[in-house]
Amino acid sequence: MNGGGTGRVLRDRNAGLYLSGVVVSGFGTTAMWLVAGVWVKSLTGSDTLAALTVFALWAPVLAGPALGALADRLPRRRLLVGVGLLMATLLPVLLLLDSADRVWLLFAVLFAHGVCGALHDAAEAALVPQAVDVRLLGDFNGLRMTANEGMKLLAPPVGAALFARFGGASVALLDAVTFALAAGLFALLRVRAEPPERSAGTGTGGFPRVREGARELWGSPVLRPLVAGGAAVMFLAGLNGAVIYAVADDVLGHAPTYVGVLYAVQGAGSVLTGLVAGPLLRRMPERVFAAAGTALFALGIAGRALPCDAVALVCSAVIGAGLPCVLIAALTAVQREVPNAVLGRAAATANTLIFVPNALALALGAALVAFVDVRVLLPVLAVAGLAVALLLAAGARAGVAAGAGARAGRK
């Protein structure tokens, strides 16, 4: 029975097309993300500029609420197709990048990549409940996580090999082709066409009020703790990610390249969680699922302080298995609880609130590791993670009861 929901999702035409699009576009995007920094480094010799490639991709997340409002304003299926075609058109511009003085082209394209990604995520989050049975949202979101994490395991070596053999332009073309293919898959979706949202949350000139997304999240006793918990967990994940090189060197005594092994094992753990998320979410409330995953994540962080390769690998798998739980739980709850008219901006606002702390923590962790022994810092992070898990679990009953009352009130 555990595989029933997953099987139903995979047999569903719309869900299959969605997941195929995620796999295809995710492969190209992940390869491009890896190669961008290497490309800049090879042209300029600057570690700072290479690091800024990641910032260029992530910066548009800060504008998530506004981009989500735009996604609510436009026909969502057409937006998915249009975003894919736009990036398929823009990426070949990087064929002109052949010297350090043209690096700005890459940053411009990466920034557009990030904007399109935020728009895509908002439109997708709002369109999925129209295309997939609401009872299968947990299964779908889990499989989406599996697809994303699977591409993170497969795409980097392909991107690196292409870059080494043909240069960065070949990876840009690969990304363009995957965007075009994904756009074609999204164009085949069969969903009930809805007019752009005009009534709820419209402001001057008919543009939806950006704050509606935050209001939906803050006003819901179900969503507020899940989004807050997700933000807290991603903050801790950012600190953990910032110290991983110190774990490889100071704790395990390996070269920095060993980090790739740790990340690969962590990705495998996330793939497994994506496969079992749907069945588990049908058997427990989202907050319990999120709390259990957060506790696993915290225990994995604590174990990394031990100087043992076998323990480090197991802990990486545990971290990978636990970390996605709160993200899947939060997205599934947002899709179920928020009215469709404002779902795009609510989902985009949730992404901003959850993922921006991760970026801030990466910078803070880089500073902390210079002053605090990683063997001391990791247990502290683990205690904080367990505290978040306890808070999520303690309020699960109240959250479920409040959510049921809210849904009954809307009826």
Side-chain angles (χ1 to χ4, degrees):
M1 293 296 292
N2 285 0
T6 298
R8 288 172 62 191
V9 170
L10 294 176
R11 288 191 297 270
D12 182 86
R13 181 181 183 276
N14 279 333
L17 287 170
Y18 262 120
L19 292 172
S20 297
V22 168
V23 168
V24 170
S25 62
F27 185 88
T29 295
T30 303
M32 189 66 207
W33 168 78
L34 168 74
V35 163
V38 180
W39 199 356
V40 169
K41 171 71 174 177
S42 67
L43 289 173
T44 67
S46 171
D47 290 327
T48 300
L49 287 176
L52 284 176
T53 59
V54 179
F55 177 77
L57 275 169
W58 276 92
V61 174
L62 295 170
L67 294 172
L70 179 60
D72 281 335
R73 185 64 174 167
L74 300 172
R76 289 158 179 163
R77 184 178 66 86
R78 294 181 187 176
L79 181 58
L80 289 178
V81 175
V83 161
L85 294 178
L86 175 62
M87 287 310 304
T89 303
L90 282 179
L91 280 159
V93 171
L94 296 179
L95 292 172
L96 301 174
L97 179 56
D98 57 3
S99 61
D101 61 351
R102 291 186 175 181
V103 162
W104 66 270
L105 282 172
L106 179 58
F107 282 99
V109 171
L110 289 177
F111 185 80
H113 206 306
V115 171
C116 288
L119 274 173
H120 182 282
D121 288 347
E124 181 188 282
L127 195 57
V128 163
Q130 293 179 250
V132 178
D133 189 331
V134 67
R135 294 168 295 182
L136 299 177
L137 285 176
D139 297 273
F140 178 87
N141 290 325
L143 288 173
R144 188 183 188 282
M145 177 68 68
T146 293
N148 279 331
E149 293 301 321
M151 290 308 99
K152 290 178 183 177
L153 295 176
L154 298 176
V158 173
L162 281 175
F163 181 83
R165 181 67 178 86
F166 302 107
S170 64
V171 183
L173 289 176
L174 169 67
D175 199 12
V177 170
T178 60
F179 266 112
L181 290 174
L185 290 168
F186 293 136
L188 296 174
L189 290 171
R190 295 173 183 168
V191 293
R192 180 171 57 89
E194 289 191 352
E197 181 274 322
R198 297 183 183 278
S199 57
T202 56
T204 304
F207 193 79
R209 286 186 303 216
V210 172
R211 290 179 296 177
E212 281 297 311
R215 189 174 295 121
E216 287 288 338
L217 299 177
W218 182 255
S220 169
V222 175
L223 302 180
R224 186 171 61 245
L226 280 171
V227 173
V233 170
M234 290 308 294
F235 182 81
L236 295 175
L239 293 175
N240 176 62
V243 305
I244 192 169
Y245 287 97
V247 170
D249 183 11
D250 300 339
V251 178
L252 301 175
H254 288 293
T257 51
Y258 193 71
V259 168
V261 178
L262 297 178
Y263 272 133
V265 176
Q266 182 173 321
S270 296
V271 168
L272 176 62
T273 290
L275 293 174
V276 301
L280 290 176
L281 281 171
R282 285 194 295 275
R283 289 164 172 76
M284 63 179 69
E286 281 102 346
R287 284 179 70 168
V288 174
F289 179 70
T294 301
L296 278 177
F297 166 71
L299 293 173
I301 291 178
R304 276 186 169 173
L306 301 175
C308 174
D309 283 4
V311 171
L313 293 173
V314 170
C315 288
S316 290
V318 170
I319 289 171
L323 182 57
C325 293
V326 68
L327 305 179
I328 295 172
L331 177 58
T332 302
V334 168
Q335 290 173 324
R336 191 191 65 240
E337 298 287 329
V338 176
N340 186 266
V342 294
L343 183 50
R345 77 199 78 168
T349 300
N351 282 339
T352 297
L353 294 173
I354 289 172
F355 289 108
V356 166
N358 182 260
L360 297 176
L362 284 168
L364 176 60
L368 278 176
V369 76
F371 301 100
V372 182
D373 190 318
V374 69
R375 298 172 187 84
V376 175
L377 184 57
L378 288 171
V380 172
L381 296 181
V383 170
L386 289 173
V388 174
L390 286 173
L391 288 172
L392 284 168
R397 287 180 178 272
V400 171
R407 288 192 293 273
R410 284 201 296 267
K411 294 178 181 178

